[in-house]
Amino acid sequence: MVKSALITGITGQDGSYLAELLLAKGYKVFGAVRRLSTPNYSRIEHIRDQVELIDADLSDQLSLIHAIEKSEPQEVYNLAAQSFVATSWQQAILTGECTGLGVTRMLEAVKIVNPKIRFYQASSSEMYGKVRETPQSEDTPFYPRSPYAVAKVYGHYITLNYRESYGMYCVSGILFNHESPRRGIEFVTRKITDAVARIKVGKQKQLLLGNTDARRDWGFAKDYVEAMWLMLQQDIPDDYVIATGEAHSVEEFCRLAFERVGLNHKDYVKTDERFMRPAEVDLLCGDAGKAQRQLGWKPSTPFKELVHLMTDADLELQRRS
């Protein structure tokens, strides 16, 4: 029997890579998308004729029930969210509704339509916030430092609650930062590589950033969606940290990106107080040992290769335009 899967957030970075992976494995893939006056399908344009999109919104319970009834999935991947940390301070209530309560609505829809569906929740390393230990594992206490992170903690624990309360197959992947050429331009990594490309071709003069000393555990999104799929193939549902185990600073990311095009980052990068977070998260670095042991997963794209991949893609984009 051909498996089917429903992906919320299919038009995003992770959703597009996951859709590609599932199609390659022979799945019938459905995507739940919000109705917009000008929808953005750019990340899935190349597979648009291979997936079926269903109008649904995490703020509307009935639309989620309808999406699950129509797609009849064996697996649901909940990747949709208000996912930009900086925006969550300006739109804290929206972030809570979508990123937090939206998870409950999805879980309720699954429970109502078919509680045997396997459910994946996209948790985040931002939940660790002001870290209690390094590296962070599945047992590290959370200390969220943004409305986004607080909402993600709620989504994480409500997923665990449905697993324990109703015996549903519900898992959370605590993914550390994962990037790609498909990353949204508002995220710092893509902001950097886009600026590097624009500076190289003479369209921009400098790059304004916030805290360049912040250190993150960065991996390649295409590697990480494989871990999502693996989590739903296990006999027993469980939660997993997905990370590289290496921490690199924003400045190091800048240096490698600028060096890729033959420039010195110190000549172009400036600090701007407007981009500082109200509550900073200084260091995130994950321990994916459990995922390696139980899922057989490990990252395959080194940090430097990831930076070069993104920089090359943005440079090509700028040269074409």
Side-chain angles (χ1 to χ4, degrees), residues 120-134:
Y120 172 87
Q121 166 59 17
S123 288
S124 168
S125 60
E126 287 286 332
M127 300 188 303
Y128 294 116
K130 191 174 182 179
V131 297
R132 308 295 184 89
E133 63 183 12
T134 298

Side-chain angles (χ1 to χ4, degrees), residues 95-143:
T95 302
E97 278 286 343
C98 176
T99 309
L101 285 174
V103 184
T104 310
R105 296 188 187 100
M106 278 302 303
L107 287 163
E108 269 298 299
V110 169
K111 182 166 72 75
I112 290 168
V113 178
N114 179 6
K116 293 184 179 180
I117 291 171
R118 296 192 170 198
F119 180 88
Y120 172 87
Q121 166 59 17
S123 288
S124 168
S125 60
E126 287 286 332
M127 300 188 303
Y128 294 116
K130 191 174 182 179
V131 297
R132 308 295 184 89
E133 63 183 12
T134 298
Q136 295 88 53
S137 72
E138 294 82 3
D139 297 322
T140 302
F142 299 136
Y143 194 147

Side-chain angles (χ1 to χ4, degrees), residues 13 43 178-185 187 189-190 310:
Q13 170 189 256
R43 294 184 183 92
H178 46 292
E179 319 297 320
S180 77
R182 300 180 192 175
R183 190 58 142 157
I185 200 74
F187 290 88
T189 52
R190 185 72 195 291
M310 294 177 65

Side-chain angles (χ1 to χ4, degrees), residues 68 74 76 103-120 158-172 232 234-239:
I68 293 173
Q74 284 78 47
V76 168
V103 184
T104 310
R105 296 188 187 100
M106 278 302 303
L107 287 163
E108 269 298 299
V110 169
K111 182 166 72 75
I112 290 168
V113 178
N114 179 6
K116 293 184 179 180
I117 291 171
R118 296 192 170 198
F119 180 88
Y120 172 87
I158 199 66
T159 301
L160 174 62
N161 185 259
Y162 271 66
R163 181 166 81 215
E164 295 180 346
S165 299
Y166 304 112
M168 294 166 60
Y169 194 109
C170 303
V171 306
S172 290
L232 293 193
Q234 307 306 305
D235 293 333
I236 299 171
D238 206 348
D239 305 325

